[in-house]
Amino acid sequence: MTVEPGGSESPVQSPVRRAGTPQQRLTTWLLTEAVKMELGSIIEGLGHRLSAFGVPLDRFTVSFSLLNPSLLGGGIIWRPGRPPEFARYDYANRDAGIFEKSPFKAVLDTGKPVVIDVQNTPDEAFGIVAELREEGLAHYIAMQLPSSDGTHFWLTMATKSAAGFTDEQRRIVREIQPALSAATEIKTLQATFREVLSAYVGRAPAREIMQGTVHRGQVTKVRAAIFVSDLRGFTHLSTQLPAHTTADVINRYYDIVVPAIEHHGGEVLKFIGDAVLAIFPVAERGETHATLAALDAAREALDTVIEPFEIDGQEIDIKFGIALHLGSAAYGNVGSGDRLDFTVIGRDVNIAARLASLCSRLGRNYLVSKTIAEVGRANGRTMSDAGSHEVRGIDQPLPVFVPDAQTLSPEEGDDGVSQGIVFISPV
């Protein structure tokens, strides 16, 4: 989730000038104008408005659960005079027991707000006390926001004022909680949908789907450097190891290849068995940049030091090959009825896949097509000619080149990109 300033109204403007109590005005703003804004701007705008109504806020946060592969939750932290900050709560935080030491846990257990007199509360009472004291805060309140589906939302407010918050100030905040919760729920649901979709189909396909590309046959044409990575010896491993162990091996391999792709601006489109399919689109920065970025990503992945590891008493080496091709493809919906898959298709995707097969046959861990080699050579990259080779499904022998890659033994490879996977080329 991103924290972005902006929206239909500047968050630093004075409160909405409408008749009614402060909480009525704030509720109206939250349910009309604020819901058009990013969540960070909502919290920022609300912090300024509450301050204008006399609530002495020096720190104001809204936290929430997330359905995200990397994050369990997040939060927006607002302080006067500073842009909103996004706080992350990941699996490592959970394993460290941070939630168990937090005021949120006490709120959840008791069903009541937690009020902390910071100066008179020992650090060990809650994990956040030392941080609050360091910020010079005197009083802190944590409370749970209501939600429609049992999702956990939390609100905290803190002040440097020795007097703390009055009953009237607390009542203002309490009475706007349903509207704040509704706005937060809308924004977190949108973010969850986007992030979960991106996790399973990739960022670019997720954008297409969210923009309405959900009908079978809808495709988007793209010219890109096409990247295919293939795990070596996977067929043998998968027949020798238990399923859970095989999954561990694949995940370790993905942890090498995927960060390198993303570091250089590539987009992972598919995990296909033991293969990774990614693209570096030309439209964004041109053919030269896309090609060099793909070459650099491949080199970074291949240069990663991989120590052998042991699973179930068996020592396992992770070895893989990478193939690159510059060409055109289409990605979009294929399937039947209401069950669709967002996939990438085209002749050039087939070529990249066949190049990956050649890595195994030729005992190489890195091969590129002629189109990649030409761009690479024009930009000072060394390309060794590895001849032309016949491959299944391609009429003419494929010229291939080696970007100064390490040689692998042919016996270590599989003759194919992945088990039972066929890249479909449109008629």
Side-chain angles (χ1 to χ4, degrees):
M1 178 179 297
T2 57
V3 179
E4 299 178 9
S8 60
E9 179 183 357
S10 171
V12 298
Q13 292 181 7
S14 60
V16 180
R17 291 181 173 84
R18 293 190 178 93
T21 64
Q23 48 268 47
Q24 288 171 337
R25 299 181 195 179
L26 291 171
T27 293
T28 299
W29 176 77
L30 282 165
L31 297 178
T32 55
E33 298 175 41
V35 291
K36 303 172 187 175
M37 304 162 68
E38 294 290 335
L39 184 56
S41 295
I42 295 174
I43 305 309
E44 183 180 18
L46 183 57
H48 284 292
R49 284 166 170 78
L50 284 168
S51 297
F53 281 127
V55 182
L57 290 177
D58 290 296
R59 171 173 164 146
F60 180 62
T61 75
V62 172
S63 302
F64 35 81
S65 301
L66 287 173
L67 184 60
N68 182 284
S70 302
L71 297 177
L72 288 168
I76 307 296
I77 304 174
W78 174 80
R79 300 176 180 88
R82 294 166 60 176
E85 173 188 339
F86 179 57
R88 301 166 59 92
Y89 181 78
D90 57 26
Y91 290 88
N93 298 136
R94 179 198 63 185
D95 296 341
I98 289 179
F99 180 76
E100 298 297 321
K101 304 171 187 175
S102 76
F104 297 160
K105 178 65 163 56
V107 173
L108 194 62
D109 289 343
T110 65
K112 298 178 181 180
V114 168
V115 180
I116 298 176
D117 179 348
V118 177
Q119 300 307 315
N120 296 311
T121 302
D123 289 358
E124 59 270 18
F126 297 101
I128 197 172
V129 172
E131 178 184 330
L132 297 174
R133 187 177 291 113
E134 187 175 340
E135 286 190 36
L137 297 165
H139 293 275
Y140 169 96
I141 301 176
M143 59 194 79
Q144 189 170 11
L145 294 174
S147 68
S148 64
D149 61 356
T151 303
H152 295 311
F153 298 121
W154 314 92
L155 178 152
T156 77
M157 55 186 192
T159 181
K160 295 178 180 179
S161 170
F165 299 101
T166 67
D167 290 343
E168 175 61 20
Q169 291 163 355
R170 293 175 62 175
R171 188 165 66 85
I172 291 173
V173 174
R174 186 169 62 250
E175 291 185 6
I176 67 170
Q177 286 182 14
L180 175 58
S181 181
T184 302
E185 190 165 347
I186 289 169
K187 295 303 175 181
T188 54
L189 282 174
Q190 290 173 345
T192 294
F193 176 50
R194 179 174 60 248
E195 290 167 4
V196 170
L197 200 57
S198 296
Y200 283 92
V201 303
R203 292 188 303 273
R207 287 193 297 269
E208 293 288 326
I209 293 169
M210 292 185 70
Q211 292 169 5
T213 308
V214 294
H215 178 65
R216 186 178 72 166
Q218 284 182 281
V219 296
T220 298
K221 294 183 179 178
V222 60
R223 183 162 180 80
I226 303 167
F227 179 117
V228 177
S229 174
D230 174 27
L231 182 63
R232 291 289 178 256
F234 183 69
T235 300
H236 175 73
L237 282 175
S238 63
T239 59
Q240 299 296 315
L241 299 175
H244 71 277
T245 304
T246 304
D248 190 20
V249 173
I250 290 180
N251 285 331
R252 293 195 186 207
Y253 150 63
Y254 289 159
D255 282 342
I256 297 165
V257 176
V258 172
I261 293 170
E262 294 182 340
H263 177 225
H264 292 279
E267 174 73 29
V268 176
L269 295 183
K270 302 284 285 184
F271 296 111
I272 312 170
D274 57 317
V276 177
L277 174 60
I279 59 172
F280 293 77
V282 164
E284 297 176 4
R285 299 187 184 178
E287 283 195 357
T288 297
H289 182 276
T291 300
L292 297 181
L295 287 166
D296 290 341
R299 173 50 56 206
E300 180 178 319
L302 290 166
D303 284 350
T304 300
V305 177
I306 311 167
E307 297 294 337
F309 62 99
E310 186 175 297
I311 298 181
D312 296 339
Q314 182 172 346
E315 188 174 277
I316 297 172
D317 290 320
I318 292 181
K319 297 181 180 179
F320 55 93
I322 294 176
L324 304 179
H325 175 54
L326 179 64
S328 299
Y331 61 88
N333 291 299
V334 297
S336 178
D338 293 332
R339 180 62 179 91
L340 301 176
D341 183 27
F342 211 93
T343 191
V344 62
I345 56 178
R347 180 178 183 275
D348 287 319
V349 180
N350 281 347
I351 290 175
R354 299 311 171 212
L355 285 173
S357 299
L358 277 177
C359 284
S360 176
R361 283 168 46 191
L362 301 181
R364 303 284 184 176
N365 65 355
Y366 194 7
L367 289 176
V368 302
S369 68
K370 184 177 181 180
T371 55
I372 291 284
E374 289 174 346
V375 175
R377 281 174 169 168
N379 289 273
R381 305 298 177 94
T382 301
M383 297 286 165
S384 302
D385 191 334
S388 296
H389 304 269
E390 292 186 358
V391 294
R392 180 166 53 88
I394 306 296
D395 292 338
Q396 300 296 323
L398 281 180
V400 293
F401 299 82
V402 181
D404 193 27
Q406 174 186 349
T407 299
L408 287 177
S409 167
E411 288 76 18
E412 293 177 332
D414 292 336
D415 189 14
V417 176
S418 62
Q419 298 183 75
I421 299 297
V422 177
F423 288 95
I424 306 170
S425 180
V427 176

